[in-house]
Amino acid sequence: MPRVDARPAPQQLAAAYRRVRAAGHADEPAVLVHDLDRLRTKLADLTLAFTAPRALHTVAIKANPLLNLLRVVVAAGFGLEAASIEEVHLALRAGCSPDRIVFDSPAKTVPELAEALHLGLRINADNFAELERIAALHTPASRSRIGLRINPELAEAALALTSVGHRGSRFGVPLSQRPAILDAFARHRFLSGLHVHIGSQGTTIPELVDGVARVWQLRRELSATRHDPIDMFDLGGGLPAQYRDDAPRLTPAAYAAALRAAIPELFQTDILLVTEFGRSLLADCGFVVSRVEVVKPGPVAVLHVGADLFVRRVYRPNEWHHDFLALDPDGHPIAGDPVATTLAGPLCFGGDLLARDLPLPALAPGDHVLIRDTGAYTLSMWSRYCSRAIPIALGLDGDAVTVLRPRDTIADVVAFWGG
Ligand SMILES: *Cc1c(COP(=O)(O)O)cnc(C)c1O
């Protein structure tokens, strides 16, 4: 049975923030908190849900590249999925062995491919041109295992910005190019895997299962005609996270059960089943707290995080929801009648708003705002506009509060701009 099957309760989050304050971080203007214990439990839940004869579960680094968090993931027996050669090096630095790194960049250069083959990474080719580059570099001595990414060409995307598996998407080889795919598998004997990834938020379990099933059907066809086995099947990530109490909670257990029902062989065949989840594992393992620096008429509460940390939220607020909690100077939830409050970021443009007219108890300078579900696609999308320091990143680890990454110093910021 899964052991994490609900969102963390607001009271729990406030208590966790008070632990952070008590551990000596009360004066930080903003903190990025990561619940490492919850993350470990979620990783264990996923492993249990996707039990297969052979499995390699990875976490998508781009969801949260904090090295000390990646180290927790690797220590839990997970591999890492890299969207760039730089992320490959983050994975190596986190202690991940090369054969547990999946290299998925959609724009791999020839030198990057040569390095990936030299290191013995798992590589998913995104397109036929890349496959030819790999063919030119590949030697029988390479330990790399190579797959081909297929776009299952689902009908339509609910959330166009993050969808990568619909008709017209530029990621992967479209399934409708079947003859060319069959030809590629016939010509390139080193190809031994299939990869599908649809994208997260806005996807449903039936849609995810449909995408996987289409590519599994392709594997059946290929296996019927091909001598060399296709012994690796990578079903990507893409499970949405729950950002609202009234949104469905799509657990790995529910997704795996739906996959088992639709494609029983997926979990029975002696192939390596690879997963690459990001958002669903990490989002609710993190929260951010900012001090309210000033309150302007409106009221407009000015915080220490805005479009620098929440770029998607600020520009597409209706698509990228977060829940906010008002906390007093000591970190206790504030009671009181709600007031339509605007939450502003610290950057120098009028649109730097995290929320408009949000019903919150009246805030005063020195209070705090806690922002939920920030463990994925938040710090990783940090923007340098206005050159503010990245806040301190902390981990809740058993009884300890650990520093995952110190707050940027002024010197770090100056160095970033060439100083
Ligand atoms: C981003 C990405 C993932 C992770 O996706 P989530 O939606 O965070 O689960 C997995 N695989 C590939 C190829 C990706 O680009």
Side-chain angles (χ1 to χ4, degrees):
M1 286 303 289
R3 286 166 294 161
V4 170
D5 53 9
R7 302 181 80 193
Q11 294 293 346
Q12 263 176 289
L13 296 172
Y17 176 56
R18 292 197 297 277
R19 264 179 70 196
V20 163
R21 293 180 65 78
H25 306 290
D27 294 331
E28 293 288 343
V31 290
L32 319 177
V33 184
H34 300 80
D35 186 338
L36 303 179
D37 300 319
R38 184 179 177 87
L39 174 59
R40 290 188 186 100
T41 306
K42 293 189 72 172
L43 295 172
D45 287 352
L46 180 108
T47 307
L48 199 61
F50 280 84
T51 301
R54 292 169 60 218
L56 170 61
H57 299 299
T58 70
V59 171
I61 297 173
K62 72 178 187 292
N64 194 330
L66 276 173
L67 261 176
N68 280 321
L69 186 134
L70 300 182
R71 290 187 175 112
V72 170
V73 167
V74 171
F78 272 59
L80 293 167
E81 188 267 350
S84 65
I85 196 73
E86 290 82 355
E87 286 191 353
V88 166
H89 285 270
L90 286 171
L92 293 170
R93 187 71 69 90
C96 194
S97 67
D99 63 330
R100 300 175 72 79
I101 299 174
V102 181
F103 183 34
D104 275 344
S105 157
K108 305 177 191 80
T109 66
V110 170
E112 286 171 5
L113 287 168
E115 184 179 358
L117 288 163
H118 175 73
L119 286 167
L121 309 182
R122 291 182 188 275
I123 305 172
N124 285 319
D126 177 81
N127 54 68
F128 289 134
E130 189 183 309
L131 206 51
E132 296 307 324
R133 289 177 170 190
I134 293 172
L137 294 165
H138 191 268
T139 63
S142 173
R143 281 166 298 123
S144 278
R145 305 299 311 277
I146 320 285
L148 181 64
R149 180 166 179 174
I150 305 293
N151 172 4
E153 299 191 285
L154 302 179
E156 64 184 45
L159 196 46
L161 203 64
T162 51
S163 167
V164 287
H166 293 79
R167 196 164 297 131
S169 161
R170 69 178 176 280
F171 299 96
V173 176
L175 189 56
S176 55
Q177 292 184 16
R178 222 180 208 88
I181 295 170
L182 297 178
D183 178 60
F185 272 84
R187 284 191 299 117
H188 299 304
R189 296 190 55 186
F190 60 79
L191 263 180
S192 62
L194 284 164
H195 176 216
V196 55
H197 169 70
I198 295 169
S200 61
Q201 281 324 101
T203 47
T204 62
I205 285 181
E207 198 178 18
L208 289 165
V209 171
D210 185 17
V212 173
R214 288 174 191 223
V215 179
W216 186 261
Q217 177 56 31
L218 178 66
R219 179 180 180 273
R220 283 202 193 101
E221 283 174 44
L222 285 167
S223 300
T225 57
R226 198 167 189 255
H227 180 258
D228 302 295
I230 298 167
D231 56 7
M232 188 166 69
F233 192 90
D234 183 339
L235 53 80
L239 199 61
Q242 184 190 8
Y243 288 91
R244 306 169 187 264
D245 282 337
D246 62 0
R249 186 169 186 84
L250 307 183
T251 60
Y255 181 25
L259 282 170
R260 278 177 210 279
I263 324 166
E265 318 94 273
L266 185 59
F267 294 90
Q268 292 161 5
T269 320
D270 188 29
I271 55 165
L272 184 73
L273 182 67
V274 182
T275 68
E276 312 173 330
F277 294 98
R279 185 185 299 277
S280 55
L281 283 170
L282 290 165
D284 68 6
C285 293
F287 64 87
V288 168
V289 181
S290 169
R291 187 167 71 216
V292 175
E293 195 58 43
V294 291
V295 179
K296 300 185 176 183
V300 177
V302 180
L303 307 180
H304 285 286
V305 292
D308 43 11
L309 190 57
F310 293 97
V311 60
R312 282 184 170 160
R313 162 86 193 161
V314 165
Y315 290 100
R316 313 270 284 229
N318 299 327
E319 290 175 5
W320 300 104
H321 177 82
H322 284 281
D323 283 341
F324 297 87
L325 300 174
L327 305 178
D328 71 13
D330 299 322
H332 292 96
I334 306 178
D337 291 338
V339 181
T341 304
T342 290
L343 297 175
L347 308 187
C348 296
F349 68 103
D352 187 21
L353 301 175
L354 287 178
R356 292 168 206 254
D357 297 331
L358 186 73
L360 281 181
L363 290 167
D367 287 338
H368 297 88
V369 172
L370 185 151
I371 307 156
R372 301 177 66 173
D373 305 307
T374 61
Y377 302 101
T378 304
L379 178 57
S380 59
M381 304 184 105
W382 177 262
S383 154
R384 283 286 183 187
Y385 184 51
C386 293
S387 300
R388 292 174 56 94
I390 297 180
I392 190 170
L394 299 164
L396 304 174
D397 196 352
D399 293 333
V401 176
T402 59
V403 177
L404 300 178
R405 183 184 185 282
R407 169 155 47 112
D408 276 351
T409 62
I410 301 282
D412 291 333
V413 177
V414 172
F416 176 83
W417 293 116

